[in-house]
Amino acid sequence: MIDAVCFDYFNTCTSAVRRGGGHRRTAEVLGVDPAEWLAVLDRTYDERARGGYGSHLAGLRRLCAELGVEPSTAQLRAALELRLETVLADAPLRPEALSVLRTLRAAGVRIAIVSDCWFELPLLLPRTPLADVIDTAVYSCQVGHTKPHAAMYATACAQLDVDPARCLYVGDGGSRELTGATRFGLTAVQLRAPDLGGHLTFHAEPDWRGRVVTSLEAVLDLVGTPMLVA
């Protein structure tokens, strides 16, 4: 029996993440080369996601320093807002995400978002419709570890007050999250939605041989919960 479901956020609750023009605009505001900006974001992803770069303005300032640029506080504040807008634009919620999570919640299933992220998601998630239908959110930048580290799953299960054996984990497979979830004792399921492929992800696990679904609605079948009719 499943008492709780942990969902990855990016590429799972959201559509496939693809970088848009907001990154170029952010780089221009900071006075850095757009290509170098994307390169430093990629290079520092792991450390940023573990919280190593701090948050907000200090973290943006450190990234700029690595590129030899010292933006003003006004530039940093403008870039911060652009960064948040860009992350939202690059990763819109899947159309079915809210209804699936709402259905699970109505059936008494506890729900967590478990995500590798920098400062953006802790600021953005409370502004999304998902905020009203989840029980908790676990952010790597606050835990100090990224998936597949056991601390991510342990934190989620503790906050949900659920035994790992009674918890489902759903993700696209970035950060080798499915292997990590399985190792910790959760039942892991990979989302292979039609839009995924060539999307932005880090440390994917193409060798996953476990259970697969092609839509979030299929998670309801695994839990045994029929979709609510609007």
Side-chain angles (χ1 to χ4, degrees):
M1 180 177 179
I2 298 298
D3 292 331
V5 181
C6 293
F7 288 92
D8 173 41
Y9 184 77
F10 295 106
N11 298 310
T12 302
C13 291
T14 78
S15 298
V17 178
R18 305 188 191 281
R19 282 176 170 155
H23 297 278
R24 172 174 290 276
R25 293 191 293 274
T26 302
E28 291 170 348
V29 164
L30 291 169
V32 301
D33 179 81
E36 291 183 357
W37 179 244
L38 291 181
V40 78
L41 288 177
D42 288 345
R43 178 173 56 78
T44 62
Y45 171 77
D46 290 328
E47 188 175 352
R48 287 187 293 109
R50 289 192 293 267
Y53 270 66
S55 62
H56 306 95
L57 303 186
L60 290 172
R61 189 187 301 278
R62 179 176 168 184
L63 288 177
C64 290
E66 294 185 17
L67 297 176
V69 175
E70 296 182 11
S72 67
T73 299
Q75 286 175 291
L76 290 169
R77 291 189 184 281
L80 171 61
E81 292 306 314
L82 273 173
R83 177 73 183 161
L84 295 175
E85 293 172 9
T86 297
V87 170
L88 275 180
D90 286 358
L93 286 178
R94 291 190 179 278
E96 70 276 20
L98 181 59
S99 59
V100 168
L101 270 63
R102 182 182 288 136
T103 297
L104 291 170
R105 186 72 176 274
V109 177
R110 283 159 277 171
I111 301 170
I113 299 294
V114 182
S115 180
D116 286 353
C117 58
W118 195 18
F119 66 81
E120 303 95 348
L121 193 58
L123 293 177
L124 292 173
L125 186 58
R127 307 180 194 178
T128 73
L130 298 189
D132 294 330
V133 294
I134 65 173
D135 294 282
T136 191
V138 178
Y139 306 113
S140 62
C141 60
Q142 296 178 355
V143 173
H145 294 282
T146 56
K147 296 175 280 187
H149 196 283
M152 292 291 286
Y153 312 101
T155 301
C157 289
Q159 292 183 3
L160 292 171
D161 190 24
V162 65
D163 188 300
R166 299 171 73 93
C167 187
L168 192 68
Y169 184 92
V170 182
D172 68 297
S175 300
R176 299 197 66 83
E177 59 190 346
L178 304 171
T179 297
T182 300
R183 186 181 300 126
F184 192 73
L186 287 75
T187 299
V189 179
Q190 184 179 42
L191 176 67
R192 290 185 189 168
D195 64 317
L196 296 175
H199 57 291
L200 179 65
T201 190
F202 294 89
H203 312 303
E205 63 187 313
D207 54 343
W208 174 250
R209 297 294 182 267
R211 185 171 292 181
V212 172
V213 294
T214 58
S215 70
L216 286 183
E217 289 100 329
V219 174
L220 300 178
D221 294 331
L222 298 179
V223 177
T225 303
M227 178 71 83
L228 287 175
V229 178

